[in-house]
Structure formats: C-alpha cells, structure tokens
Amino acid sequence: MMSRSYTNLLDLASGNFPIMGRERERRRLPRTMTVPGSIAELDDDQAQSVCSDNPSSLATDRMIIVANKLPLKAKRRPDNKGWSFSWDEDSLIFRLKDGLPEDMEVLYVGSLNVDVIPIEQDDVAQVLLERFKCVATFLPPNLLEKFYDCFCKKQLWPVFHYMLPYTADHGNRFDRSMWEAYVAANKLFSQKVIEVINPEDDFVWIHDYHLMVLPTFLRRRFNRLRMGFFLHSPFPSSEIYRTLPVREEILKALLNADLIGFHTFDYARHFLSCCSRMLGLEYQSKRGYIGLEYFGRTVGIKIMPVGIHMGQIESVMKLADKEWRVGELRQRFEGKTVLLGVDDMDVFKGINLKLLAMEQMLKQHPAWQGRAVLVQIANPARGKGIDLEETQAEIQESCRRINEKFGKSGYEPIVFIDEPLSVCEKVAYYSIAECVVVTAVRDGMNLTPYEYIVCRQGISGAESGSDLSGPKKSMLVISEFIGCSPSLSGAIRINPWNVESTAEAMNEAISMAEYEKQLRHEKHYRFVSTHDVAYWSRSFMQDMERTCTDHFRKRCWGIGLGFGFRVVSLDPNFRKLSIDNIVSAYIKAKRRAILLDYDGTMMPQNSIIKTPSGEVISILNRLCGDPNNTVYIVSGRGRDSLSKIFSSCKNLGIAAEHGYFMRRSQDEEWEVCGHSSEFGWMDMAKPVLNLYTEATDGSSVETKESALVWQYRDADPGFGFSQAKELLDHLESVLANEPVEVKSGQFIVEVKPQGVTKGLVAEKIFTSMCENGKQADFVLCIGDDRSDEDMFEIIGSAISGNILSSNTSVFACTVGQKPSKAKYYLDDTSEVILMLENLAEATDSPASSDVENDVSS
C-alpha cells in the first residue's frame, strides 16, 4: 500500500505542497531543561568568530544531523528474528559530533543500509530512537530505486561530475518521474525531522546531494529554523549545471538553508555563478565571510574541506600492527618500491588512466622495471550500469596487458585487488607505500591522501622495532580535479588525462631525495592533524550560529508556491504600507510633499512601454491640482525625456538626472542644481566607456547632459559584472582629479557630478517649503533602487534640522520586499498606482475640501 506521504508526486514536483500535519502522536526525545533567555543574548557582539578553538555560544541546544544513510551497521540476528545494530565508526556523519559542544545533544535522521519489512519498521524505529538517538526513514523499495539508483546516481551524480548524457547509451536522460521520486523521498525525510524537532532550539545540518530540496520542506514549516547544508560532492560549473531541467528548483531549495558549505572555493564559485546567472543574485564578501542576500536573509557560503578522525586512524594502525602484521607486506614487497592507489570502482576515479601512466613510466624509465609495483585497491562499486561494466572490463584488460609485457617470475608490476579489504588491511598497505597516486578525473574530496599521510607518520610513542614506528616521509601524486588538492601544497599535482605527465610525476615522486620527502610530509601532516573532522564540524557549527543570529530579531514570513517558496526576513519596523492609514494622514494634513521615482515605481522596470497610461496621468494631475500638494517626479532620466512623458501634467515638478536639473512646474524654467557646470571630464570618460562597450557584448553607453551611464543588463552576467568592476577602477583612476563621482548600481556604472543625489533634491524641496512658510506636515517618498535610498535617509536629518516637524507624517516607501532604509514597502508598481489613486480620490472628497477651506481661512 502506498503511503500518503508521496501519493501526489506530480503535485509535489510541480510545487503544490500539501500542509504537512501530524498524522499521529509524535515520539519526542527527552530534552535537557533549559533556562529562558532574552533575545538580547544573541547580539552581534557576542557572536563567536570563525576560529574553531572558540567554544559554542549555544552549547545547550540540540543538533539534528540529516543524511541519506544513518551512521549505523545493521545485520540480521542468527535466529532471523529481528536485527542487530551498532555504530559505524568509519562514518563521517558519526565522527562530526566530536567537533560539537560536549553537552550538545545529537540526533540523527536518515535511512538504513538494509531493507526492513513494513511489519518490523515500528519496532526497529523505536529501538534506534531509544538506543542510538537515530530516527529511521523507511523508503519503500520502488521509491528507493527511483530516488537513489535513478535520480541520485544516474542523473545528479553524473552531472555534478561533469558527465552529460549526450547519447542514450551513455547516461540517462532526464525523467520527470525520477525527479518526482526525489522530491517525494526528500519529503519523507522532512516528516521524520518534523516529528522530533523543536524549531526554537534545534539546529539542523543536512548532508549531500541526496537531500538538496529538503531545506524547502523544512523552511516552509519553520520560518526561523537554524539550518545548514553541506555538499560533499563537486558542484559543477554553470555551463554544466544549467543543463539540469530542474536547475532553478534545486538552487532555490538550497537557498532556504542559512549556511551552504563546500569543500573548495571552486565548488563555491560555481554555485555563486549559477545563482548569479539563473537567479540574478550577487554575492558580497564582508570581513572574510561570503554571503548572498536573498529576500532579506543573508545565506552564508562556507568553504572548508572535511578532515579525518585522527584517533580512529591511529587506533586502527595499532590494530593493523598486531593483527594483520605490516611486516608480512614488507616481506612480500622486499626490494620493491610500492606505489599505491585506493579508489572506489567508479567511472570518475580514473583507475585505468593510472594504469596507463604506470605503463608509460616503465617504458620511459626502464630502470624501474622489476623494482616498481603499483598496488591498486578497488573498493566495491556503489552504483551500477553499462558505464561501470565497461570501466571494469577496461581495467582488467590493462592489468593483463601490462603484467604480460613487463612481468617476470616473482614480479608483477600491477597488483590489482578487487575484493573488499578491512580498514586494517588498507592501513597496512598505506604504511608500506612509498607514494600514493590519485588520478580521479573528478571527485568531491577524497580522503585517501589524508589517511596515507597519517599512516606514514606512524604511531606516537611506538617502539623503535615496531613496523609502524616507521619513516616520517610520504609522497603524493594527486589529480588537480579532486577536493583535497588545494590543501596539499606539497603534493605533485597532475592532469590525469595527460598520461605522459602523470608518468613523469610518478617517477619524480619515487626518485625524490629522502630529505625533501620528509619536508613535504611534515608540511602535510601539520595541516591534516590540525584540520581534522572535529575542526571542520566545529567551524561549520560556529558559522551557522553567526549566520543565524538575526533570526529572532527580524520579522519572517513565507511567500511563493512550490520550489519558488522563500522566506522574507525584514526589520520588525519595516512593514507594508496601509492604504487606509496613509489616506487618513493625507486627509488630515495641510501641506503635503509627494516625491515619486519613475522607472520601477510608476512604471515596471522591464516594461517595453515606457510611457505612462492615461490613468496614471489623470491621477498625477488630480494630485497636482490640490494647492496643498507639492508633487515631484524624481528620476535619473534626462530632462527632455521626462518633459515629453509628462507634457500633459502642467503643475508637476520634475527633478531630472537625479536632481541636476529641477523645475517646479511646466511654466517655470529649468534650474541647474549641480555645483559644477564644467563637463570637460566627459571627453576623458567617453573613450574609456566606449572601450568597455566594444569589448563587452550586450553593453551600451547612455549620454545624459550631466552624466554618463554604462549599462550591461543584456551582457553575460559573469563577464558583465567583472567588466563593471574593472571599469569602476579604471574610471576612478582616470578621473581622480575631476569633480565627479563614479558609482556602480544595478547593471550600471555611472559617472556624474559630485553633490548630485536624490537626497539633496528632497532636502531642497523640504527647505523651500519651510522657507515659504509651508512646512510639510505630510511626506510621501517612493522609490525602488539604491539611488532612492538617499531620499529615505535624508528624511531623518531633515526632522533633526527642523526642516520637517517632528509631528510630520512620514511615509518613506520602497517598491518590493527587500532591505531598505524606508519604513514601508509596496509589492509592485500596480500597488503604487492603486495607493496614489486612493490619495487622488481623497483629494476630490468633501473631507479634504473642508481641510483646504480651513487652511485658506
């Protein structure tokens, strides 16, 4: 019988999420008693820095770790009655708790590696919850196959490793039903989290590409939930990622997390590039932290490679020395130089490229024939398919050919081990290998080099006669396409596709002077031993705390359907403008100042039609017709353009080019408000702007009377942004001694005279009204972009400078729900027009006329 949780797959995948109510009494873990605290305890100055030595500031909270698989081993009891469970101490998910505060409760949510029949699931779930603090997610076999084998391993995994299904024979084409299964599985995980979560106190840490849409399900239910996500695989470049038909759904889902972690800057850079190109989001770096502004929330980006568990490796080394006897391997390979490869049997691990490089090294350097041995350990494959079968056949053929060509009695250049080995056995091989070779063509992290380094360091305090007290030296030949490569600066980095250079690197590694091997090893060991898994989890936890400090200070609410859902997080004093309130204040007021931006406020930003409708003109004329109103359009457009657009508005004031030109009505002459009338700088700036326009396809230059604007809205986002930064620096250098300002805006770089802002326009209007004995007691100021923020900011100083009364009704309003210095917002231009229409109707009403008569009398 199909569970209610995933019957409407099409609804889920298209975004029509049902309300996730509680279907039965939820089991809750007993929680530690906490003492009530105030929100003030989460002030910025108390947030800890990124340094992983700092203690957690929220040590009494609980961490819920969500992963595809629980860190457990499971096996049937000998009598076939029930299950036996134990911790999987090799699991990274299990080990990361070492970096969390000692008194922090840790709860795991995930699925099991075994198939538990439905009749046993409740009993198993109860045992896991009580004995291991694990919440089991049971996926029905048909859903599990579509979710994991089909979508995760055959669609996401290849794309994230740069493999596209160019033909049906090599890769699976996108299948909507598999995506629906992925969404349904993520929803089941979310329901298990919801069963046990305390959203006010708990942190949630989600792991890897299997659960990338889980943040949306949880954020939809809990707006203020503190939630992080870490991707353990590569994140591909935007050219590859955007081939996914569900690319935006996944990006938006990830952005519902508070902190998103990656192993390397390359992976983070690719993610940020995708957010820029597909969602129009730009990141900012502040005091070493990278963040994306997303509807008032700052989504943190964390770059930190995961480490290994030092204590576990050292304990296994002691075990290997006693039980598996490293000495046996030393005896077996006596007189030989061992190069070692330890890889999963996977199409991306480049095992055959490694074998070809070994063959090339033996050809080019025949002195190694009979002396050098490559031991290749192939861990069992995690996936399946025709690509994997072809890879296995190719490896077997290469091993056979190389051994036939170079082998002789008592010597095989390739020792291929394709059967499961225990951790002890692997550690023994690490201990006797002179060099580890990793030729993966793409890999998220790959901890093999780290484990090798620790094994070659030996056991601290081991007896001199012990095999593991051994040499403090190691050599690494590693692919530049794996996540650990940037952190191992002493390794010889190679392009695995270049077989010849890989062969030379292998020869260089085993031929290197002993002293240099020791120096490289010491450098690597210092890094690996200090940046272990505890350091990684502690650092991630502290960044999550820092990113979430504003959660309980801001007002949050969810908007949007499906994977378009997001949480808007804004200052508690920032709220939607109430038409009833502003109309009431408007009617009571005697002297009103109304300042309106045009593009993006009165007219949609992306509208092809740039002239206002007859309705808008009528509303403006009715507002301007009231003698108690001073109405201005304050725009960055040129005066000729604005004069033409508003030619039928006789009494409308216009401030053009951000206030460089002003006039109070059509009957008056334009007034130049800029401090400088010298524009010789334009002759210096135009050649620079034209140079960048010619070099940047999709960009253009707009020449105004007082300013020059380079816009790149239609250019490639990444290239346009890069060129804009270069242009900004170039212009600041060229115009350093000129009385101008060079500013960047939304897809523009503008050069304009100093001292020209919309804020000064507002101040000039308020001052003029005050000097004429008509101090404004009602101010409405509306705009949508950065330049309008100057108007909002000036209002506060106008009140403190007595240009406006402290009793003035002020309505500073931005268009769109976004961070702003304005106190109010309206959602879009249609709401702006509706609000202005209500004010115009109030102007025509008898109540407003009575106020005007009182003023006249």
Side-chain angles (χ1 to χ4, degrees):
M1 181 178 177
M2 187 172 286
S3 165
R4 290 174 56 189
S5 302
Y6 54 92
T7 47
N8 299 322
L9 296 181
L10 285 171
D11 286 346
L12 288 172
S14 61
N16 300 320
F17 300 160
I19 300 298
M20 296 182 287
R22 299 193 172 192
E23 297 174 5
R24 65 179 188 276
E25 178 100 51
R26 306 298 188 191
R27 291 194 185 95
R28 290 297 308 271
L29 288 179
R31 290 191 46 76
T32 305
M33 183 177 294
T34 57
V35 179
S38 67
I39 294 176
E41 291 173 357
L42 300 177
D43 284 347
D44 283 340
D45 58 352
Q46 294 185 12
Q48 298 295 335
S49 73
V50 73
C51 174
S52 295
D53 294 328
N54 287 327
S56 171
S57 61
L58 303 174
T60 58
D61 290 346
R62 184 172 65 167
M63 172 65 77
I64 299 177
I65 297 170
V66 193
N68 180 40
K69 297 297 181 184
L70 290 170
L72 295 173
K73 294 178 181 178
K75 62 180 180 179
R76 269 285 183 190
R77 289 178 181 160
D79 58 4
N80 206 33
K81 295 180 180 178
W83 293 87
S84 175
F85 298 97
S86 62
W87 288 114
D88 179 4
E89 297 191 356
D90 295 333
S91 170
L92 173 69
I93 304 302
F94 175 69
R95 290 298 178 183
L96 66 80
K97 66 182 175 58
D98 293 348
L100 304 178
E102 289 184 8
D103 53 351
M104 174 175 269
E105 185 180 357
V106 178
L107 183 65
Y108 297 94
V109 177
S111 62
L112 290 166
N113 285 312
V114 293
D115 185 19
V116 179
I117 59 176
I119 197 171
E120 297 178 323
Q121 288 178 2
D122 283 345
D123 291 337
V124 168
Q126 185 68 23
V127 168
L128 295 181
L129 185 62
E130 292 175 354
R131 289 181 51 196
F132 297 94
K133 294 185 180 178
C134 288
V135 180
T137 305
F138 298 105
L139 302 178
N142 61 333
L143 178 63
L144 177 62
E145 181 183 5
K146 290 180 179 179
F147 156 65
Y148 184 76
D149 294 329
C150 295
F151 193 77
C152 288
K153 300 305 289 186
K154 294 182 180 177
Q155 293 186 354
L156 284 181
W157 181 258
V159 169
F160 278 35
H161 289 74
Y162 290 72
M163 179 182 284
L164 297 178
Y166 291 113
T167 66
D169 293 335
H170 291 82
N172 291 57
R173 299 289 168 81
F174 180 80
D175 185 333
R176 180 68 57 176
S177 67
M178 304 308 164
W179 162 246
E180 292 162 5
Y182 182 81
V183 173
N186 274 248
K187 184 171 186 289
L188 285 180
F189 278 93
S190 76
Q191 290 174 337
K192 291 300 178 181
V193 175
I194 290 168
E195 285 184 11
V196 295
I197 197 170
N198 184 338
E200 296 291 317
D201 298 330
D202 294 344
F203 288 88
V204 176
W205 189 355
I206 303 167
H207 289 267
D208 223 3
Y209 66 98
H210 315 92
L211 303 174
M212 288 194 294
V213 300
L214 179 56
T216 286
F217 285 108
L218 296 178
R219 185 67 68 194
R220 187 177 185 85
R221 187 68 180 265
F222 308 112
N223 287 349
R224 288 188 171 89
L225 180 63
R226 297 173 292 184
M227 177 166 45
F229 178 92
F230 196 93
L231 183 67
H232 293 271
S233 78
F235 195 93
S237 66
S238 61
E239 287 76 12
I240 298 294
Y241 178 79
R242 62 186 175 187
T243 62
L244 265 179
V246 288
R247 59 193 189 181
E248 291 187 10
E249 289 89 332
I250 291 175
L251 285 181
K252 290 176 180 177
L254 288 174
L255 289 171
N256 275 317
D258 296 298
L259 183 66
I260 305 172
F262 301 92
H263 286 306
T264 73
F265 175 69
D266 272 351
Y267 302 161
R269 178 168 55 86
H270 294 159
F271 174 77
L272 294 170
S273 175
C274 289
C275 289
S276 172
R277 290 173 179 274
M278 295 166 211
L279 303 180
L281 303 176
E282 297 296 340
Y283 74 91
Q284 291 183 335
S285 182
K286 184 178 181 182
R287 295 183 179 178
Y289 300 112
I290 300 174
L292 279 167
E293 285 294 326
Y294 189 59
F295 292 93
R297 293 170 53 243
T298 299
V299 180
I301 303 299
K302 176 73 172 174
I303 302 165
M304 174 70 74
V306 71
I308 60 175
H309 192 277
M310 295 291 293
Q312 184 206 11
I313 295 290
E314 290 180 352
S315 64
V316 172
M317 287 166 62
K318 293 175 184 176
L319 207 60
D321 196 22
K322 290 177 182 176
E323 293 186 5
W324 211 77
R325 293 182 302 180
V326 176
E328 289 187 7
L329 281 182
R330 294 196 188 280
Q331 186 176 354
R332 177 182 172 186
F333 294 105
E334 187 177 3
K336 306 291 191 298
T337 299
V338 177
L339 297 95
L340 178 66
V342 181
D343 304 278
D344 293 343
M345 180 55 73
D346 190 297
V347 295
F348 301 110
K349 301 304 182 186
I351 296 175
N352 198 58
L353 293 172
K354 189 186 307 179
L355 299 176
L356 296 177
M358 181 67 179
E359 180 181 27
Q360 182 68 20
M361 187 188 81
L362 295 176
K363 281 182 187 177
Q364 293 296 112
H365 304 278
W368 288 115
Q369 294 178 21
R371 294 171 53 209
V373 177
L374 172 63
V375 177
Q376 176 61 54
I377 299 172
N379 299 322
R382 299 183 187 180
K384 52 189 175 182
I386 187 171
D387 291 331
L388 184 59
E389 293 170 5
E390 290 176 355
T391 300
Q392 289 173 319
E394 187 178 27
I395 290 170
Q396 295 286 357
E397 171 57 26
S398 295
C399 290
R400 184 196 59 77
R401 187 188 69 253
I402 297 170
N403 282 337
E404 283 183 1
K405 185 173 182 180
F406 297 102
K408 56 187 177 182
S409 178
Y411 171 70
E412 281 190 338
I414 306 293
V415 176
F416 185 68
I417 304 172
D418 61 348
E419 59 188 29
L421 294 185
S422 68
V423 178
C424 286
E425 291 173 308
K426 289 178 185 175
V427 165
Y429 275 105
Y430 284 141
S431 300
I432 60 102
E434 191 71 18
C435 175
V436 155
V437 184
V438 182
T439 53
V441 296
R442 193 71 58 178
D443 207 350
M445 184 60 191
N446 199 314
L447 293 175
T448 295
Y450 286 14
E451 294 170 352
Y452 168 66
I453 290 163
V454 175
C455 290
R456 293 290 284 183
Q457 178 68 15
I459 302 171
S460 177
E463 296 177 7
S464 58
S466 170
D467 287 307
L468 287 176
S469 61
K472 306 294 190 294
K473 59 179 182 175
S474 61
M475 278 306 300
L476 293 169
V477 175
I478 59 174
S479 166
E480 61 191 55
F481 302 121
I482 64 175
C484 67
S485 175
S487 59
L488 297 172
S489 56
I492 301 175
R493 299 191 184 103
I494 48 97
N495 172 7
W497 297 103
N498 188 334
V499 172
E500 291 79 8
S501 70
T502 303
E504 288 303 317
M506 292 163 66
N507 174 64
E508 180 186 352
I510 57 180
S511 303
M512 189 173 290
E514 297 296 304
Y515 179 65
E516 186 172 351
K517 290 180 184 179
Q518 291 174 21
L519 289 178
R520 290 174 185 248
H521 169 80
E522 288 169 6
K523 184 177 186 180
H524 289 157
Y525 184 75
R526 278 197 302 272
F527 177 83
V528 173
S529 60
T530 54
H531 292 72
D532 60 357
V533 66
Y535 179 92
W536 169 73
S537 63
R538 185 161 56 246
S539 178
F540 190 91
M541 178 68 192
Q542 288 167 359
D543 269 24
M544 187 153 45
E545 287 179 9
R546 178 187 53 78
T547 306
C548 298
T549 49
D550 283 342
H551 273 28
F552 300 101
R553 279 202 245 125
K554 290 189 174 183
R555 289 190 307 122
C556 301
W557 65 94
I559 59 174
L561 298 173
F563 287 110
F565 176 84
R566 64 271 188 200
V567 166
V568 177
S569 176
L570 299 171
D571 187 278
N573 295 319
F574 185 68
R575 56 187 182 273
K576 189 163 186 175
L577 181 60
S578 165
I579 291 180
D580 290 341
N581 288 349
I582 192 172
V583 168
S584 174
Y586 180 89
I587 292 172
K588 295 175 184 176
K590 299 178 180 180
R591 301 294 178 191
R592 312 180 189 101
I594 301 174
L595 281 61
L596 308 171
D597 176 41
Y598 182 62
D599 291 291
T601 303
M602 305 283 288
M603 181 64 59
Q605 191 71 255
N606 298 321
S607 175
I608 297 176
I609 301 171
K610 291 297 183 183
T611 53
S613 64
E615 177 192 11
V616 173
I617 295 297
S618 172
I619 291 170
L620 289 174
N621 277 329
R622 288 155 68 191
L623 289 173
C624 294
D626 188 333
N628 295 320
N629 289 348
T630 300
V631 184
Y632 270 83
I633 293 291
V634 185
S635 172
R637 283 179 174 247
R639 56 179 173 174
D640 292 341
S641 171
L642 292 172
S643 295
K644 183 177 180 181
I645 290 173
F646 297 105
S647 59
S648 56
C649 298
K650 306 296 183 184
N651 297 320
L652 178 67
I654 295 177
E657 299 190 18
H658 296 125
Y660 188 85
F661 299 105
M662 285 182 68
R663 74 177 186 195
R664 290 178 174 80
S665 67
Q666 241 180 57
D667 298 332
E668 297 192 22
E669 296 294 321
W670 286 99
E671 178 186 354
V672 177
C673 300
H675 299 304
S676 173
S677 57
E678 295 294 327
F679 295 99
W681 56 266
M682 283 194 173
D683 295 330
M684 301 167 64
K686 279 182 180 178
V688 178
L689 292 171
N690 290 334
L691 177 67
Y692 281 80
T693 303
E694 185 179 337
T696 312
D697 189 32
S699 66
S700 61
V701 177
E702 179 186 358
T703 302
K704 302 179 182 179
E705 289 182 73
S706 69
L708 294 172
V709 180
W710 185 77
Q711 71 86 14
Y712 58 98
R713 185 177 298 276
D714 298 326
D716 175 90
F719 184 55
F721 182 69
S722 173
Q723 290 288 80
K725 289 175 68 177
E726 285 291 324
L727 176 59
L728 192 69
D729 291 341
H730 196 158
L731 287 171
E732 285 177 344
S733 174
V734 170
L735 303 173
N737 298 318
E738 300 297 321
V740 296
E741 293 178 355
V742 184
K743 288 190 173 183
S744 62
Q746 191 172 20
F747 298 109
I748 65 165
V749 174
E750 184 173 24
V751 190
K752 62 180 182 180
Q754 289 177 347
V756 177
T757 68
K758 289 186 178 182
L760 293 178
V761 172
E763 185 177 36
K764 187 177 180 67
I765 292 169
F766 300 151
T767 303
S768 175
M769 293 177 68
C770 187
E771 290 174 349
N772 292 330
K774 299 178 179 180
Q775 188 181 53
D777 57 359
F778 173 95
V779 172
L780 170 61
C781 188
I782 311 180
D784 75 305
D785 63 18
R786 291 182 189 174
S787 62
D788 301 304
E789 296 294 315
D790 294 331
M791 287 196 294
F792 306 148
E793 188 175 18
I794 205 69
I795 292 173
S797 58
I799 292 174
S800 61
N802 295 322
I803 299 172
L804 293 176
S805 166
S806 59
N807 296 321
T808 301
S809 297
V810 176
F811 296 89
C813 178
T814 189
V815 181
Q817 300 175 30
K818 57 180 182 288
S820 172
K821 293 172 184 173
K823 190 175 180 180
Y824 301 97
Y825 74 89
L826 290 171
D827 285 325
D828 50 38
T829 55
S830 62
E831 288 196 353
V832 173
I833 300 303
L834 177 63
M835 182 270 297
L836 292 175
E837 185 178 12
N838 277 268
L839 296 186
E841 289 175 358
T843 299
D844 302 334
S845 69
S848 179
S849 299
D850 292 342
V851 172
E852 291 174 19
N853 292 334
D854 291 342
V855 173
S856 301
S857 62

